[in-house]
Amino acid sequence: GFVNGTRGLFTGEARELGDKDVAAFLNQGGMQLLGRSADVIRTTQHFEKAEASCEKLKLDALVLIGGAVSNSDTAALAEHFAAGEVATRVIGVPASIDGDLLVHSEGSIGFDTACRVYASIVGNLATDAASARKYWYFVRIMGRSPSHITLACANLTQPNVALIGEELEAKRMSLSA
């Protein structure tokens, strides 16, 4: 794995990971395992640094895990490697709780887990509200546009009302209207 994600890819700083290294992260995600950076892979210099790291480490394949931006960068890097006849193959793995990759793939790492955890919380709140009959709970669920997490949680929990940001914006709705 590359230390601090793409930053490690650019500098060639990598660590071999064994069972003991990853055991603590089993079924819990692993973004903190080696750290991460939000660097993009866009420039010729980035491509050349990534290529140098892959050649130095004699990698057969480079797997990049991430959302829409990371997978776009993965495609560009794969094209660069193919054009330069670099031996390392580049593979993108979709991982985004936002659900913004669902148009292009059946699922992504993180989305299902996020929806189930949030739905469990919303379901517990709904049970509490139904038993007390005097409470209203307003839950704001994280995520980008589109509101795939909110929609998935609403499908799982069947709340009285689910406000979808895109619909509110398109219809110029507000809570007072």
Side-chain angles (χ1 to χ4, degrees):
F2 287 98
V3 177
N4 291 317
T6 47
R7 188 168 299 140
L9 174 63
F10 297 151
T11 62
E13 188 178 356
R15 280 189 34 215
E16 187 170 332
L17 300 173
D19 291 343
K20 288 182 181 179
D21 298 310
V22 298
F25 295 93
L26 184 64
N27 294 323
Q28 300 201 24
M31 189 167 34
Q32 302 85 2
L33 177 63
L34 293 172
R36 68 181 289 264
S37 60
D39 300 317
V40 294
I41 306 171
R42 302 272 166 79
T43 68
T44 302
Q45 186 179 21
H46 291 152
F47 294 149
E48 289 170 355
K49 286 180 178 182
E51 181 179 336
S53 292
C54 291
E55 288 178 350
K56 173 183 144 191
L57 296 166
K58 298 181 173 100
L59 298 182
D60 295 325
L62 173 66
V63 179
L64 294 145
I65 304 168
V69 172
S70 296
N71 277 279
S72 294
D73 291 350
T74 300
L77 186 62
E79 289 175 357
H80 173 81
F81 278 22
E85 298 182 13
V86 177
T88 305
R89 297 295 176 243
V90 182
I91 302 161
V93 176
S96 170
I97 67 164
D98 297 316
D100 52 356
L101 295 171
L102 298 179
V103 174
H104 307 292
S105 66
E106 285 186 30
S108 66
I109 297 170
F111 179 74
D112 185 61
T113 303
C115 291
R116 290 183 186 281
V117 169
Y118 291 142
S120 174
I121 294 166
V122 170
N124 290 339
L125 289 172
T127 299
D128 183 60
S131 67
R133 295 182 175 241
K134 63 180 181 179
Y135 298 115
W136 282 80
Y137 288 103
F138 291 88
V139 179
R140 183 180 185 275
I141 296 177
M142 70 176 291
R144 292 186 203 162
S145 177
S147 301
H148 290 298
I149 295 176
T150 302
L151 288 169
C153 288
N155 283 333
L156 291 167
T157 61
Q158 300 296 302
N160 291 330
V161 177
L163 304 174
I164 307 301
E166 294 83 3
E167 183 179 11
L168 295 173
E169 184 178 346
K171 294 180 179 178
R172 298 182 178 259
M173 298 168 68
S174 71
L175 292 176
S176 63

